[in-house]
Amino acid sequence: MNNNQQLTMDEQLTIDNVQLTVSVSEVNSKIARLIKSDKSLGDVYVKGEISNLNDKGHVWFTLKDENTSIKAVMFSQNKKSLNFAPENGMTVTVRAEVRVYERDGLYQLYVHEMTPDGMGALYLAFLQLREKLEKEGLFSQKREIPRSPKRIAVITAETGAALQDILNIIGRRNPLVTVITIPAWVQGVHAPASLIDGINKAQNTGAEVIIFGRGGGSIEDLQAFNDEQLARAVFASRIPTISAVGHEIDFTIADFAADLRAPTPSAAAELCVPDIGEVYEALGALKSDLLFRLKRLIGINSERVTSLQREINAKSPTARLSAYERQFDIHKAQLKAIMGNVIGNKRQMLITEMKRVDALSPMNVLMRGYSIVTDDNGKPVTDVDNVSVGDKANIKLHKGRIIARIEEKHG
């Protein structure tokens, strides 16, 4: 066989009934050559709805219709020709070529031009349902999520990575929390009914909060969470709900109906369960702050009590009595001094008078040799006619007395 002769895939794999083995690279390379050789795929116009848009430098997105989808990329040099901003849900027509990215075995559209063609049916339905439920008030009820729930119901696929992420994060942040898992379909035609059934079952589990959702995926994969009846079941839940649909860019109807929207299942677990280590640290800081405030408050109040005590003491009857006693002692001392002065003056006056009286005293006269004569009855004899010869007479001298008898008298 000529080496330049191109073989079909079957011819390459089977030669003379001998099965040959080819590498993955050879398969991808063969597919790439086949697509490249098809001139009709080198310049094709494709119409579809944009989803999973990632407009950072290059524009990465999925182009879809009601049946299928294809990956697409528009490099930055071609993006400069756009006169509008592509959005999820927008229907566009692109001019592109189909090529294979051999490393991943991925075929996709390499877009050169893009023109808008209105919104896609799925996105339009989403907007219409959102507007309807918003008018009914299904998005206005936002209950507070418990800060430290002890029981959490998780509704998601039993074998999905989302459940393991939630369990791992909750177990790491607070192993004391009880997690009640409720398996549910999260994709496909049966998913909405399965999720609604999970919401209803969770009402009787004693859970304090419900986390429902799934891991990331395309808009088509997340359609179950745009179901109207699911939104009504979430709104009717007696238990606060967290929507944890792992698609950070797009919102679903269930996100709006839930009490809280988390961008991923892991984020939902972190928002729902506080880290017990951080709680202990916060409690320690709070304790220190409270002790500081308490000591400060005690100090302030102690000073106030001391001030009030001084004020009370100043106004108390005991304090007044003490003041009155001090005033009494002062007045007593003053009165004593005054009385002392008065008595001293009076004493001096008395001494002066006594001296004057003493100067006139008969005793002083007696000292000069005079005497006092009285009769037997003690009456002073001032006249000779008051006595007779032979009467007794008492003579008082300066010192002593003399009893004499009258021998004669002279008038």
Side-chain angles (χ1 to χ4, degrees):
M1 179 180 297
N2 192 324
N3 291 334
N4 295 328
Q5 182 179 356
Q6 187 175 15
L7 299 177
T8 66
M9 183 66 71
D10 290 339
E11 288 172 337
Q12 283 186 314
L13 295 178
T14 305
I15 300 177
D16 296 332
N17 294 324
V18 177
Q19 192 73 25
L20 299 179
T21 300
V22 296
S23 67
V24 174
S25 297
E26 290 174 328
V27 173
N28 285 345
S29 178
K30 175 63 176 179
I31 294 173
R33 289 197 302 272
L34 289 174
I35 291 177
K36 188 175 183 179
S37 66
D38 190 340
K39 300 301 182 182
S40 65
L41 298 178
D43 188 12
V44 61
Y45 288 86
V46 183
K47 178 180 178 180
E49 178 185 331
I50 294 176
S51 67
N52 301 322
L53 180 68
N54 185 350
D55 188 358
K56 295 181 180 178
H58 306 311
V59 183
W60 305 88
F61 59 99
T62 300
L63 203 61
K64 65 181 181 179
D65 58 20
E66 63 275 9
N67 297 317
T68 187
S69 63
I70 186 173
K71 300 290 184 181
V73 60
M74 187 177 200
F75 294 122
S76 57
Q77 62 267 28
N78 295 319
K79 175 184 173 182
K80 295 177 182 178
S81 65
L82 293 177
N83 57 7
F84 69 100
E87 297 178 356
N88 285 316
M90 182 180 290
T91 300
V92 296
T93 298
V94 300
R95 182 181 181 184
E97 59 178 306
V98 182
R99 295 203 317 230
V100 174
Y101 184 48
E102 292 187 29
R103 192 195 72 178
D104 296 335
L106 174 68
Y107 76 94
Q108 59 185 354
L109 296 175
Y110 288 79
V111 178
H112 302 293
E113 300 173 3
M114 181 190 300
T115 56
D117 196 20
M119 292 186 299
L122 287 177
Y123 189 63
L124 180 60
F126 167 82
L127 293 179
Q128 291 174 341
L129 179 58
R130 186 180 70 178
E131 182 179 4
K132 172 186 175 182
L133 298 181
E134 187 172 16
K135 288 181 179 179
E136 292 184 27
L138 262 71
F139 303 155
S140 60
Q141 172 184 278
K142 299 301 176 186
R143 292 167 296 185
E144 185 176 357
I145 303 300
R147 297 183 63 180
S148 297
K150 297 181 178 61
R151 293 172 67 86
I152 300 173
V154 178
I155 305 170
T156 188
E158 187 174 18
T159 58
L163 177 60
Q164 294 306 316
D165 290 342
I166 292 173
L167 293 176
N168 290 337
I169 290 175
I170 291 178
R172 184 181 72 247
R173 293 175 71 85
N174 189 348
L176 301 178
V177 174
T178 299
V179 179
I180 304 158
T181 57
I182 303 176
W185 294 97
V186 294
Q187 185 174 338
V189 294
H190 302 295
S194 180
L195 290 166
I196 292 170
D197 183 60
I199 295 290
N200 293 333
K201 287 180 179 178
Q203 306 304 308
N204 301 317
T205 60
E208 299 168 65
V209 64
I210 297 172
I211 298 175
F212 68 91
R214 55 158 291 162
S218 66
I219 296 298
E220 295 77 19
D221 296 336
L222 307 180
Q223 278 305 303
F225 296 90
N226 286 325
D227 183 79
E228 178 177 350
Q229 298 308 314
L230 174 60
R232 295 187 182 280
V234 172
F235 176 79
S237 172
R238 300 189 305 273
I239 303 171
T241 56
I242 300 178
S243 173
V245 181
H247 198 71
E248 298 188 25
I249 299 175
D250 296 323
F251 278 78
T252 66
I253 296 297
D255 292 330
F256 293 109
D259 295 296
L260 178 66
R261 184 235 181 194
T264 63
S266 298
E270 292 178 353
L271 290 171
C272 186
V273 179
D275 191 317
I276 195 167
E278 294 176 359
V279 172
Y280 287 148
E281 291 180 5
L283 287 175
L286 182 60
K287 178 182 177 181
S288 299
D289 183 62
L290 287 175
L291 287 175
F292 171 77
R293 292 174 181 269
L294 184 60
K295 291 179 180 178
R296 183 180 177 186
L297 185 61
I298 289 174
I300 293 173
N301 287 331
S302 295
E303 293 178 1
R304 185 179 179 187
V305 168
T306 302
S307 176
L308 291 174
Q309 187 65 49
R310 287 195 296 265
E311 186 176 352
I312 290 172
N313 291 337
K315 295 181 179 180
S316 69
T318 303
R320 291 187 178 183
L321 287 174
S322 298
Y324 291 153
E325 287 179 356
R326 289 191 296 272
Q327 292 179 1
F328 176 77
D329 292 338
I330 293 172
H331 293 161
K332 180 180 177 181
Q334 292 175 346
L335 182 60
K336 185 177 181 180
I338 294 171
M339 292 299 296
N341 291 335
V342 171
I343 293 172
N345 292 335
K346 295 297 182 181
R347 181 181 289 111
Q348 188 62 42
M349 290 173 62
L350 178 60
I351 292 171
T352 301
E353 290 297 325
M354 287 178 66
K355 287 180 178 179
R356 191 174 67 176
V357 170
D358 188 59
L360 300 175
S361 172
M363 298 302 295
N364 290 333
V365 176
L366 295 177
M367 288 179 65
R368 295 197 299 269
Y370 294 95
S371 61
I372 298 172
V373 179
T374 59
D375 60 15
D376 285 339
N377 296 323
K379 293 180 179 181
V381 178
T382 60
D383 191 338
V384 295
D385 291 336
N386 292 336
V387 294
S388 300
V389 175
D391 290 341
K392 290 181 179 180
N394 297 314
I395 302 170
K396 172 67 176 171
L397 303 175
H398 175 65
K399 290 184 178 181
R401 297 171 64 188
I402 298 173
I403 300 174
R405 188 178 297 277
I406 297 173
E407 297 289 335
E408 25 178 279
K409 65 178 182 176
H410 301 279

